Short mmCIF file of all heavy atoms in Angstrom, two decimals:
data_model
loop_
_atom_site.label_atom_id
_atom_site.label_comp_id
_atom_site.label_asym_id
_atom_site.label_seq_id
_atom_site.Cartn_x
_atom_site.Cartn_y
_atom_site.Cartn_z
N ILE A 35 -0.69 9.26 -6.91
CA ILE A 35 -0.64 10.38 -7.84
C ILE A 35 -1.50 10.04 -9.05
O ILE A 35 -1.31 8.98 -9.66
CB ILE A 35 0.80 10.67 -8.30
CG1 ILE A 35 1.68 11.05 -7.11
CG2 ILE A 35 0.82 11.75 -9.38
CD1 ILE A 35 3.17 11.11 -7.43
N PHE A 36 -2.39 10.94 -9.42
CA PHE A 36 -3.22 10.78 -10.61
C PHE A 36 -2.91 11.96 -11.52
O PHE A 36 -3.39 13.07 -11.32
CB PHE A 36 -4.71 10.75 -10.24
CG PHE A 36 -5.08 9.54 -9.42
CD1 PHE A 36 -5.00 9.58 -8.03
CD2 PHE A 36 -5.48 8.37 -10.03
CE1 PHE A 36 -5.32 8.47 -7.27
CE2 PHE A 36 -5.81 7.25 -9.28
CZ PHE A 36 -5.73 7.30 -7.89
N ASP A 37 -2.05 11.71 -12.52
CA ASP A 37 -1.62 12.75 -13.46
C ASP A 37 -1.26 12.08 -14.77
O ASP A 37 -0.50 11.11 -14.78
CB ASP A 37 -0.42 13.51 -12.89
CG ASP A 37 -0.13 14.79 -13.65
OD1 ASP A 37 0.01 14.74 -14.89
OD2 ASP A 37 -0.02 15.84 -13.00
N ASP A 38 -1.79 12.61 -15.88
CA ASP A 38 -1.56 11.97 -17.18
C ASP A 38 -0.24 12.35 -17.84
O ASP A 38 0.06 11.89 -18.93
CB ASP A 38 -2.73 12.25 -18.13
CG ASP A 38 -2.95 13.73 -18.40
OD1 ASP A 38 -2.47 14.56 -17.61
OD2 ASP A 38 -3.62 14.05 -19.39
N ASP A 39 0.58 13.14 -17.17
CA ASP A 39 1.89 13.51 -17.71
C ASP A 39 2.95 12.64 -17.02
O ASP A 39 3.23 12.83 -15.83
CB ASP A 39 2.17 14.99 -17.44
CG ASP A 39 3.46 15.48 -18.06
OD1 ASP A 39 4.42 14.67 -18.19
OD2 ASP A 39 3.54 16.68 -18.40
N PRO A 40 3.55 11.69 -17.77
CA PRO A 40 4.50 10.78 -17.12
C PRO A 40 5.72 11.47 -16.53
O PRO A 40 6.20 11.07 -15.47
CB PRO A 40 4.90 9.81 -18.23
CG PRO A 40 4.39 10.37 -19.50
CD PRO A 40 3.36 11.40 -19.18
N SER A 41 6.21 12.53 -17.16
CA SER A 41 7.40 13.20 -16.61
C SER A 41 7.08 13.92 -15.30
O SER A 41 7.88 13.92 -14.37
CB SER A 41 8.01 14.16 -17.64
OG SER A 41 7.09 15.17 -17.99
N VAL A 42 5.90 14.52 -15.21
CA VAL A 42 5.50 15.18 -13.96
C VAL A 42 5.29 14.13 -12.88
O VAL A 42 5.73 14.30 -11.74
CB VAL A 42 4.22 16.03 -14.17
CG1 VAL A 42 3.67 16.54 -12.84
CG2 VAL A 42 4.51 17.20 -15.10
N GLY A 43 4.64 13.03 -13.23
CA GLY A 43 4.43 11.95 -12.27
C GLY A 43 5.74 11.37 -11.77
O GLY A 43 5.90 11.10 -10.57
N ASP A 44 6.71 11.19 -12.68
CA ASP A 44 8.02 10.66 -12.29
C ASP A 44 8.74 11.62 -11.35
O ASP A 44 9.35 11.19 -10.36
CB ASP A 44 8.88 10.38 -13.52
CG ASP A 44 8.40 9.19 -14.33
OD1 ASP A 44 7.55 8.41 -13.83
OD2 ASP A 44 8.86 9.06 -15.49
N LEU A 45 8.69 12.92 -11.65
CA LEU A 45 9.36 13.91 -10.81
C LEU A 45 8.73 13.95 -9.41
O LEU A 45 9.43 13.92 -8.41
CB LEU A 45 9.31 15.30 -11.45
CG LEU A 45 9.90 16.44 -10.62
CD1 LEU A 45 11.36 16.19 -10.26
CD2 LEU A 45 9.75 17.77 -11.36
N MET A 46 7.40 13.99 -9.37
CA MET A 46 6.73 13.99 -8.06
C MET A 46 7.08 12.73 -7.28
O MET A 46 7.36 12.79 -6.08
CB MET A 46 5.22 14.10 -8.23
CG MET A 46 4.73 15.47 -8.60
SD MET A 46 2.92 15.61 -8.51
CE MET A 46 2.42 14.73 -10.00
N SER A 47 7.05 11.59 -7.96
CA SER A 47 7.37 10.32 -7.30
C SER A 47 8.77 10.34 -6.71
O SER A 47 8.98 9.94 -5.56
CB SER A 47 7.24 9.16 -8.29
OG SER A 47 5.90 9.02 -8.72
N GLU A 48 9.73 10.82 -7.48
CA GLU A 48 11.12 10.89 -7.01
C GLU A 48 11.24 11.79 -5.78
O GLU A 48 11.90 11.45 -4.80
CB GLU A 48 12.01 11.39 -8.15
CG GLU A 48 13.47 11.47 -7.79
CD GLU A 48 14.32 11.98 -8.94
OE1 GLU A 48 14.00 11.68 -10.11
OE2 GLU A 48 15.30 12.69 -8.67
N LEU A 49 10.60 12.96 -5.85
CA LEU A 49 10.67 13.90 -4.73
C LEU A 49 10.03 13.32 -3.47
O LEU A 49 10.56 13.47 -2.36
CB LEU A 49 9.98 15.21 -5.10
CG LEU A 49 10.67 16.04 -6.18
CD1 LEU A 49 9.73 17.14 -6.68
CD2 LEU A 49 11.98 16.63 -5.67
N LEU A 50 8.91 12.64 -3.63
CA LEU A 50 8.22 12.08 -2.47
C LEU A 50 8.95 10.87 -1.89
O LEU A 50 9.01 10.70 -0.67
CB LEU A 50 6.79 11.72 -2.85
CG LEU A 50 5.91 12.94 -3.22
CD1 LEU A 50 4.59 12.49 -3.81
CD2 LEU A 50 5.71 13.84 -2.02
N ARG A 51 9.54 10.06 -2.77
CA ARG A 51 10.34 8.93 -2.28
C ARG A 51 11.55 9.45 -1.49
O ARG A 51 11.99 8.83 -0.52
CB ARG A 51 10.77 8.05 -3.43
CG ARG A 51 9.63 7.20 -3.95
CD ARG A 51 10.08 6.22 -5.04
NE ARG A 51 8.91 5.55 -5.57
CZ ARG A 51 8.45 5.70 -6.81
NH1 ARG A 51 9.08 6.46 -7.68
NH2 ARG A 51 7.37 5.06 -7.20
N GLY A 52 12.08 10.60 -1.92
CA GLY A 52 13.18 11.23 -1.19
C GLY A 52 12.78 11.66 0.21
O GLY A 52 13.62 11.87 1.08
N ARG A 53 11.48 11.78 0.44
CA ARG A 53 10.94 12.12 1.76
C ARG A 53 10.58 10.87 2.55
O ARG A 53 9.95 10.95 3.60
CB ARG A 53 9.68 12.98 1.61
CG ARG A 53 9.91 14.38 1.11
CD ARG A 53 10.73 15.09 2.15
NE ARG A 53 10.80 16.50 1.92
CZ ARG A 53 10.26 17.41 2.72
NH1 ARG A 53 9.54 17.06 3.75
NH2 ARG A 53 10.45 18.67 2.49
N GLY A 54 10.90 9.69 1.98
CA GLY A 54 10.63 8.44 2.68
C GLY A 54 9.22 7.90 2.47
O GLY A 54 8.79 7.00 3.20
N LEU A 55 8.51 8.43 1.49
CA LEU A 55 7.14 8.00 1.22
C LEU A 55 7.11 6.96 0.10
O LEU A 55 7.93 7.02 -0.81
CB LEU A 55 6.28 9.20 0.83
CG LEU A 55 6.13 10.29 1.89
CD1 LEU A 55 5.59 11.57 1.29
CD2 LEU A 55 5.23 9.80 3.02
N THR A 56 6.16 6.05 0.17
CA THR A 56 5.93 5.12 -0.94
C THR A 56 4.89 5.76 -1.85
O THR A 56 3.96 6.43 -1.39
CB THR A 56 5.45 3.75 -0.45
OG1 THR A 56 4.27 3.93 0.33
CG2 THR A 56 6.53 3.05 0.38
N VAL A 57 5.07 5.55 -3.17
CA VAL A 57 4.27 6.27 -4.15
C VAL A 57 3.80 5.33 -5.25
O VAL A 57 4.55 4.47 -5.69
CB VAL A 57 5.10 7.42 -4.79
CG1 VAL A 57 4.28 8.19 -5.81
CG2 VAL A 57 5.67 8.35 -3.73
N SER A 58 2.56 5.54 -5.71
CA SER A 58 2.05 4.89 -6.92
C SER A 58 1.51 5.98 -7.83
O SER A 58 0.83 6.90 -7.36
CB SER A 58 0.94 3.90 -6.60
OG SER A 58 1.44 2.79 -5.89
N HIS A 59 1.81 5.88 -9.13
CA HIS A 59 1.39 6.88 -10.10
C HIS A 59 0.44 6.24 -11.11
O HIS A 59 0.74 5.18 -11.66
CB HIS A 59 2.63 7.44 -10.82
CG HIS A 59 2.30 8.41 -11.90
ND1 HIS A 59 3.05 8.51 -13.04
CD2 HIS A 59 1.31 9.32 -12.04
CE1 HIS A 59 2.53 9.43 -13.82
NE2 HIS A 59 1.47 9.94 -13.23
N PHE A 60 -0.68 6.91 -11.35
CA PHE A 60 -1.68 6.46 -12.31
C PHE A 60 -1.87 7.54 -13.37
O PHE A 60 -1.87 8.73 -13.05
CB PHE A 60 -3.00 6.15 -11.60
CG PHE A 60 -2.85 5.12 -10.52
CD1 PHE A 60 -2.58 5.50 -9.21
CD2 PHE A 60 -2.92 3.77 -10.81
CE1 PHE A 60 -2.40 4.56 -8.21
CE2 PHE A 60 -2.74 2.82 -9.81
CZ PHE A 60 -2.49 3.21 -8.52
N MET A 61 -2.05 7.11 -14.61
CA MET A 61 -2.12 8.04 -15.75
C MET A 61 -3.52 8.59 -16.02
O MET A 61 -3.68 9.39 -16.94
CB MET A 61 -1.59 7.35 -17.00
CG MET A 61 -0.14 6.91 -16.88
SD MET A 61 1.00 8.29 -16.74
CE MET A 61 0.90 8.92 -18.40
N SER A 62 -4.51 8.19 -15.25
CA SER A 62 -5.85 8.74 -15.43
C SER A 62 -6.59 8.69 -14.10
O SER A 62 -6.12 8.08 -13.14
CB SER A 62 -6.63 7.95 -16.49
OG SER A 62 -7.21 6.80 -15.94
N GLY A 63 -7.74 9.33 -14.08
CA GLY A 63 -8.56 9.33 -12.88
C GLY A 63 -9.54 8.17 -12.83
O GLY A 63 -10.36 8.09 -11.91
N ALA A 64 -9.45 7.27 -13.80
CA ALA A 64 -10.35 6.11 -13.81
C ALA A 64 -10.07 5.24 -12.59
O ALA A 64 -8.92 4.93 -12.29
CB ALA A 64 -10.15 5.31 -15.10
N GLY A 65 -11.10 4.90 -11.87
CA GLY A 65 -10.95 4.02 -10.72
C GLY A 65 -10.37 4.67 -9.48
O GLY A 65 -9.96 3.98 -8.54
N VAL A 66 -10.32 5.99 -9.45
CA VAL A 66 -9.67 6.68 -8.34
C VAL A 66 -10.29 6.33 -6.99
O VAL A 66 -9.58 6.07 -6.02
CB VAL A 66 -9.65 8.23 -8.57
CG1 VAL A 66 -11.03 8.82 -8.60
CG2 VAL A 66 -8.81 8.93 -7.52
N VAL A 67 -11.61 6.25 -6.91
CA VAL A 67 -12.25 5.97 -5.62
C VAL A 67 -11.88 4.58 -5.14
O VAL A 67 -11.50 4.39 -3.98
CB VAL A 67 -13.79 6.14 -5.73
CG1 VAL A 67 -14.47 5.72 -4.44
CG2 VAL A 67 -14.14 7.59 -6.07
N GLN A 68 -11.94 3.60 -6.00
CA GLN A 68 -11.60 2.22 -5.62
C GLN A 68 -10.14 2.13 -5.20
O GLN A 68 -9.81 1.49 -4.20
CB GLN A 68 -11.87 1.26 -6.77
CG GLN A 68 -11.56 -0.18 -6.40
CD GLN A 68 -11.90 -1.16 -7.51
OE1 GLN A 68 -12.55 -0.82 -8.48
NE2 GLN A 68 -11.43 -2.39 -7.35
N LEU A 69 -9.25 2.78 -5.94
CA LEU A 69 -7.82 2.74 -5.61
C LEU A 69 -7.54 3.37 -4.24
O LEU A 69 -6.73 2.88 -3.47
CB LEU A 69 -6.99 3.42 -6.70
CG LEU A 69 -6.88 2.62 -7.99
CD1 LEU A 69 -6.43 3.52 -9.14
CD2 LEU A 69 -5.93 1.45 -7.82
N VAL A 70 -8.22 4.47 -3.95
CA VAL A 70 -8.03 5.12 -2.65
C VAL A 70 -8.62 4.25 -1.54
O VAL A 70 -8.02 4.10 -0.48
CB VAL A 70 -8.64 6.55 -2.65
CG1 VAL A 70 -8.62 7.17 -1.26
CG2 VAL A 70 -7.87 7.44 -3.64
N GLN A 71 -9.77 3.64 -1.78
CA GLN A 71 -10.36 2.75 -0.78
C GLN A 71 -9.44 1.57 -0.47
O GLN A 71 -9.26 1.19 0.67
CB GLN A 71 -11.72 2.22 -1.26
CG GLN A 71 -12.82 3.23 -1.19
CD GLN A 71 -14.11 2.72 -1.81
OE1 GLN A 71 -14.12 1.96 -2.76
NE2 GLN A 71 -15.22 3.17 -1.25
N GLU A 72 -8.84 1.00 -1.51
CA GLU A 72 -7.98 -0.17 -1.33
C GLU A 72 -6.65 0.17 -0.69
O GLU A 72 -6.13 -0.59 0.13
CB GLU A 72 -7.73 -0.84 -2.69
CG GLU A 72 -8.95 -1.51 -3.28
CD GLU A 72 -8.75 -1.97 -4.71
OE1 GLU A 72 -7.66 -1.75 -5.29
OE2 GLU A 72 -9.70 -2.54 -5.27
N ASN A 73 -6.06 1.30 -1.06
CA ASN A 73 -4.71 1.66 -0.60
C ASN A 73 -4.69 2.46 0.70
O ASN A 73 -3.68 2.47 1.38
CB ASN A 73 -3.97 2.43 -1.68
CG ASN A 73 -3.54 1.55 -2.82
OD1 ASN A 73 -2.49 0.94 -2.75
ND2 ASN A 73 -4.36 1.44 -3.86
N LYS A 74 -5.75 3.18 0.99
CA LYS A 74 -5.82 4.04 2.18
C LYS A 74 -4.57 4.91 2.32
O LYS A 74 -3.86 4.87 3.33
CB LYS A 74 -6.04 3.20 3.42
CG LYS A 74 -7.34 2.40 3.37
CD LYS A 74 -7.65 1.74 4.66
CE LYS A 74 -8.90 0.90 4.65
NZ LYS A 74 -9.76 0.85 3.52
N PRO A 75 -4.28 5.73 1.28
CA PRO A 75 -3.08 6.56 1.32
C PRO A 75 -3.21 7.73 2.29
O PRO A 75 -4.32 8.12 2.67
CB PRO A 75 -2.99 7.08 -0.12
CG PRO A 75 -4.43 7.18 -0.54
CD PRO A 75 -5.09 5.97 0.09
N LYS A 76 -2.06 8.28 2.65
CA LYS A 76 -2.04 9.50 3.45
C LYS A 76 -2.42 10.71 2.59
O LYS A 76 -2.98 11.68 3.08
CB LYS A 76 -0.64 9.74 4.01
CG LYS A 76 -0.16 8.69 4.97
CD LYS A 76 1.27 8.95 5.37
CE LYS A 76 1.78 7.84 6.27
NZ LYS A 76 3.20 8.02 6.60
N LEU A 77 -2.04 10.63 1.29
CA LEU A 77 -2.21 11.76 0.38
C LEU A 77 -2.59 11.28 -1.00
O LEU A 77 -2.04 10.28 -1.49
CB LEU A 77 -0.89 12.56 0.31
CG LEU A 77 -0.83 13.71 -0.69
CD1 LEU A 77 -1.81 14.83 -0.30
CD2 LEU A 77 0.59 14.25 -0.78
#
Side-chain angles (χ1 to χ4, degrees):
I35 298 170
F36 295 89
D37 193 307
D38 60 341
D39 184 330
S41 61
V42 171
D44 290 346
L45 176 58
M46 285 190 284
S47 296
E48 181 180 325
L49 292 167
L50 295 170
R51 285 185 186 113
R53 290 295 192 113
L55 298 165
T56 56
V57 181
S58 292
H59 176 214
F60 303 91
M61 298 294 289
S62 83
V66 64
V67 174
Q68 181 177 349
L69 287 163
V70 173
Q71 285 174 327
E72 291 170 359
N73 287 274
K74 300 188 182 354
K76 296 175 183 176
L77 175 66

